[in-house]
């Protein structure tokens, strides 16, 4: 039996001169998420210096994701206080589910 999860990808385009500070801020902010959001299966921060950072999170269900991101989770990113000063533009958020290899 395949268990489907929702994969949420938030992409930040970061001012290159602020990249390292932004990385530190994001890692510090999300470190405690597993304890705060029981529906969070896994998460990671992916880096593509000098100006791109992804926060990838995997959720058990839409309800669990909504507990984290709010009722408009499908199209609105979660923005941390002060985050905009690091960014070149608004966050982009996308959602995926895994395609099974076979039935």
């Amino acid at each position: 039996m395949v268990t489907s999860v929702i994969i949420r990808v938030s992409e930040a385009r970061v001012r290159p001169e602020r990249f390292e500070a932004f990385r530190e801020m994001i890692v510090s902010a999300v470190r405690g998420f597993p304890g705060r959001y029981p529906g969070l299966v896994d998460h990671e921060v992916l880096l593509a210096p000098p100006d791109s950072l992804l926060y990838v999170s995997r959720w058990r269900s839409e309800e669990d994701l909504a507990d984290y991101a709010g009722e408009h989770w499908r199209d609105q990113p979660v923005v941390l206080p002060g985050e905009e000063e690091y960014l070149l533009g608004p966050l982009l958020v996308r959602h995926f589910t895994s395609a099974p290899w076979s039935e």
Side-chain angles (χ1 to χ4, degrees):
M1 180 170 145
V2 176
T3 302
S4 181
V5 297
I6 300 171
I7 302 161
R8 180 179 173 95
V9 179
S10 297
E11 181 176 3
R13 301 282 298 167
V14 184
R15 298 178 190 279
E17 71 276 9
R18 306 292 314 269
F19 188 82
E20 186 57 29
F22 184 70
R23 182 201 65 79
E24 290 174 10
M25 182 182 88
I26 294 301
V27 168
S28 176
V30 303
R31 184 174 282 126
F33 279 10
R36 289 175 49 197
Y37 303 104
L40 179 62
V41 175
D42 186 22
H43 67 155
E44 62 189 326
V45 175
L46 303 176
L47 308 174
D51 65 356
S52 186
L53 181 145
L54 301 178
Y55 175 60
V56 180
S57 54
R58 293 165 188 83
W59 299 87
R60 279 190 317 221
S61 69
E62 289 184 10
E63 293 79 19
D64 291 316
L65 182 47
D67 285 344
Y68 160 68
E71 66 178 292
H72 300 290
W73 64 268
R74 292 181 195 279
D75 54 12
Q76 291 183 1
V78 173
V79 179
L80 301 173
E83 190 171 286
E84 64 280 346
E85 72 184 63
Y86 297 90
L87 303 179
L88 294 168
L91 293 175
L92 174 64
V93 65
R94 294 177 287 175
H95 300 91
F96 303 89
T97 55
S98 298
W101 290 104
S102 63
E103 294 290 318

